[in-house]
Amino acid sequence: MQVELMYQPAFTLGRLQLRGGEQVRVEAASMVGMSTGTTLETKTGGFMQALKRSFLGGESFFQNIYTAPAQGGEVWVAPSLPGDLNVLTLSEPMLIQSGAYVASDMGITLDTTWGGSKSFFGTGGGLFMLRAEGQGQVVVASYGAIHEMTLAPGQSFTLDTGHLVALSESMPFKTRSVGGMKSFLFSGEGFVVDLTGPGKVLVQTRSQDQFLAWLIPKLPQPSSSSS
């Protein structure tokens, strides 16, 4: 699979070019278009794996498998929110935040992993993240643009948990609140994650949680009917 990313970073479209007979796994509702002759089959990838991926990892229960015709073909993909796409070529397992997975080679296996002390409280990811492992490429999405960081051994960096897209599984990290109780309640900042290299980190420049916190109070409220 060859991936071309177009119209970055605000409204990125991913063009997945496939050889004859090659397959690609795509998250449900992420397909924008496909070339003539490309076929689609919907699978769970195993009931328990699908259940974990959906209920714990925040992804859809079903995944779509696209197969290119003999002459080759292509599938276009895009995220649901305005934002970017990034291609991870795996050399080690990566942890992916809930809702960020878009597509991957068939050589990639997806599972959920328990965060434990590493969990991202206060984020859409909850206590679990997707774990991607194997040989090939994974396409991930963000809300806003994606900034890629590579931390050297011992180098540390702190991120708001709502801005984390993916990171190397081997990278040590811990989640904490910002400052004391007063700062946590009134600073506008909630939980952060302290990352320590070596490893790769993908950061999104906008936070879906922060956008919803801004939007929801501005939505019209249903009027209460009086008897």
Side-chain angles (χ1 to χ4, degrees):
M1 177 176 70
Q2 293 185 339
V3 183
E4 179 185 4
L5 301 181
M6 302 180 286
Y7 313 116
Q8 290 180 287
F11 300 99
T12 307
L13 177 71
R15 181 187 181 199
L16 315 180
Q17 300 178 67
L18 308 175
R19 300 184 302 273
E22 187 176 10
Q23 295 182 316
V24 62
R25 181 183 292 111
V26 177
E27 177 70 359
S30 294
M31 191 272 288
V32 174
M34 60 182 178
S35 57
T36 301
T38 301
T39 59
L40 165 63
E41 184 179 6
T42 301
K43 297 182 177 181
T44 64
F47 179 81
M48 292 306 299
Q49 289 284 11
L51 189 64
K52 287 171 60 180
R53 187 176 63 245
S54 174
F55 183 71
L56 303 177
E59 304 298 326
S60 64
F61 185 84
F62 295 99
Q63 290 186 326
N64 296 326
I65 309 298
Y66 293 86
T67 304
Q71 69 272 21
E74 57 186 60
V75 179
W76 296 358
V77 295
S80 57
L81 294 173
D84 207 352
L85 294 173
N86 188 280
V87 182
L88 299 172
T89 302
L90 296 195
S91 58
E92 62 171 316
M94 297 287 294
L95 302 182
I96 302 171
Q97 189 61 288
S98 173
Y101 170 79
V102 175
S104 60
D105 282 310
M106 298 302 294
I108 301 296
T109 59
L110 297 173
D111 200 356
T112 52
T113 182
W114 168 252
S117 61
K118 300 177 179 180
S119 62
F120 299 145
F121 294 98
T123 72
L127 298 177
F128 294 86
M129 298 184 75
L130 285 179
R131 181 180 186 270
E133 181 181 21
Q135 300 294 318
Q137 300 178 100
V138 181
V139 180
V140 295
S142 67
Y143 177 44
I146 290 181
H147 176 67
E148 184 175 318
M149 302 173 60
T150 300
L151 299 183
Q155 181 183 2
S156 297
F157 198 82
T158 299
L159 285 175
D160 180 287
T161 54
H163 287 267
L164 184 61
V165 176
L167 75 159
S168 303
E169 184 187 45
S170 60
M171 178 179 291
F173 64 91
K174 63 180 180 179
T175 307
R176 60 179 173 85
S177 60
V178 177
M181 183 58 67
K182 182 178 180 181
S183 297
F184 177 72
L185 293 175
F186 303 112
S187 68
E189 303 297 336
F191 290 95
V192 297
V193 55
D194 296 321
L195 305 154
T196 304
K200 178 189 294 186
V201 185
L202 266 59
V203 183
Q204 60 184 11
T205 61
R206 297 293 182 268
S207 166
Q208 182 179 352
D209 292 337
Q210 291 176 4
F211 172 67
L212 292 176
W214 172 86
L215 176 65
I216 290 174
K218 295 175 172 57
L219 294 176
Q221 299 298 315
S223 58
S224 57
S225 58
S226 57
S227 56

